[in-house]
Amino acid sequence: MKKIKSFTILEMIITLVLSSLVMILILGAFKMVGTYFSLSQMNREINEECISTRLVLKQDFIEADSIRWKEEVLIIYKKTKTINWHSDSEKMIREPEDKDKTEKAFLIGPHLIEASKFNERDWVTSANLHLLNNNKPHRSLTFYKDYPISNYIN
């Protein structure tokens, strides 16, 4: 009788186990890449919101006649209108005094806002917006307001 060349059961099991391990590693790598891209997308969206917040708040600081800080609200006085900025856990909210205009909420994640006042007056000279990571600031945006010398007289 002629002997037929073939694989033994042990060789087949070893091949099956090795191919299973390779497949598990490949699936794990795909999962890691997918997680990386979803986190990257989320960080990009938060960065875009931070940029939008910075641009709008900076423009409000530039156009402001005066700025006050009362009860955790940044009040920006312009020539004919008032704008309130306040914090709500994960977002900064910009509310114009004019009820016809809608408020804008910037989803920037956990944050903290602080204001520096000028002497006994309630004028805000700078504001810091700290973006938090594990309740610790990891990025800060600072806004400054310079008042004309005529504001300091009387």
Side-chain angles (χ1 to χ4, degrees):
M1 208 164 154
K2 249 184 161 179
K3 198 171 183 184
I4 300 174
K5 291 185 178 182
S6 63
F7 296 107
T8 64
I9 292 180
L10 183 60
E11 290 172 330
M12 293 298 286
I13 290 174
I14 291 173
T15 304
L16 184 65
V17 167
L18 289 176
S19 62
S20 297
L21 289 174
V22 168
M23 290 300 290
I24 289 171
L25 292 174
I26 289 172
L27 289 175
F30 277 132
K31 185 177 179 182
M32 278 181 29
V33 169
T35 302
Y36 169 77
F37 279 118
S38 66
L39 288 175
S40 177
Q41 174 73 16
M42 187 175 68
N43 283 337
R44 188 183 61 77
E45 290 171 359
I46 289 174
N47 284 337
E48 287 175 359
E49 284 292 311
C50 289
I51 290 168
S52 296
T53 305
R54 182 180 61 85
L55 291 174
V56 173
L57 192 54
K58 181 178 180 182
Q59 189 64 33
D60 283 347
F61 262 69
I62 290 170
E63 294 174 354
D65 292 328
S66 65
I67 303 170
R68 304 258 192 269
W69 178 255
K70 291 184 181 176
E71 300 171 7
E72 302 297 315
V73 176
L74 194 62
I75 305 168
I76 298 176
Y77 297 97
K78 294 185 180 183
K79 291 180 180 157
T80 58
K81 59 185 173 181
T82 303
I83 297 171
N84 295 333
W85 281 85
H86 59 90
S87 180
D88 182 18
S89 69
E90 296 281 319
K91 57 189 171 190
M92 283 289 294
I93 300 172
R94 180 184 189 265
E95 289 181 325
E97 182 183 62
D98 188 2
K99 297 301 178 194
D100 294 336
K101 295 188 178 180
T102 58
E103 67 180 36
K104 171 70 176 144
F106 298 93
L107 301 171
I108 58 174
H111 61 278
L112 171 69
I113 189 164
E114 301 172 328
S116 300
K117 295 181 183 178
F118 176 73
N119 291 339
E120 61 276 344
R121 299 180 188 220
D122 283 337
W123 293 348
V124 171
T125 55
S126 68
N128 293 314
L129 177 60
H130 302 288
L131 303 175
L132 305 176
N133 187 7
N134 296 326
N135 292 328
K136 295 180 182 174
H138 78 283
R139 189 185 325 173
S140 294
L141 305 172
T142 304
F143 305 92
Y144 296 100
K145 177 63 182 168
D146 291 325
Y147 295 98
I149 194 69
S150 61
N151 285 20
Y152 299 111
I153 301 172
N154 287 335

